[in-house]
């Protein structure tokens, strides 16, 4: 199970995973079995569908359409680099 980033402490199964054109994962998450708690979540722009779609076909269509157009890349924290006064990198 994976923790959902927007709901700390809540875990959902990753049921289906798409890769966006920005290389982020767009996951369909939830308990499965056409539950109304299933939804999709983009790890790039952090957009999510609202829970309530019981039909996986509706979720697949929305997640796939989002993955086809989202250019956001997954955020990866980078260490800060300090440059001395007058110095160059």
């Amino acid at each position: 199970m994976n923790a959902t980033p927007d709901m700390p402490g809540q875990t959902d199964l990753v049921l289906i995973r798409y890769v966006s054109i920005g290389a982020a994962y767009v996951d369909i998450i939830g308990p499965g079995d056409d539950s109304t708690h299933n939804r999709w979540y983009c790890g790039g722009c952090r957009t999510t569908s609202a829970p309530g779609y019981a039909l996986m076909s509706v979720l697949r269509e929305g997640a796939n359409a989002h993955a086809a157009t989202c250019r956001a890349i997954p955020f990866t924290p980078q260490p800060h680099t300090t440059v001395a006064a007058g110095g160059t990198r």
Side-chain angles (χ1 to χ4, degrees), residues 18-78:
Y18 297 90
V19 178
S20 73
I21 59 174
Y25 290 143
V26 180
D27 293 332
I28 296 178
I29 56 177
D33 297 328
D34 288 332
S35 167
T36 57
H37 297 287
N38 294 338
R39 61 193 173 91
W40 62 261
Y41 173 80
C42 178
C45 69
R46 300 182 184 201
T47 298
T48 187
S49 66
Y53 294 108
L55 296 176
M56 287 298 284
S57 61
V58 174
L59 286 170
R60 282 195 300 266
E61 184 178 312
N64 191 35
H66 183 82
T69 59
C70 182
R71 297 182 183 277
I73 60 172
F75 176 71
T76 305
Q78 299 293 319

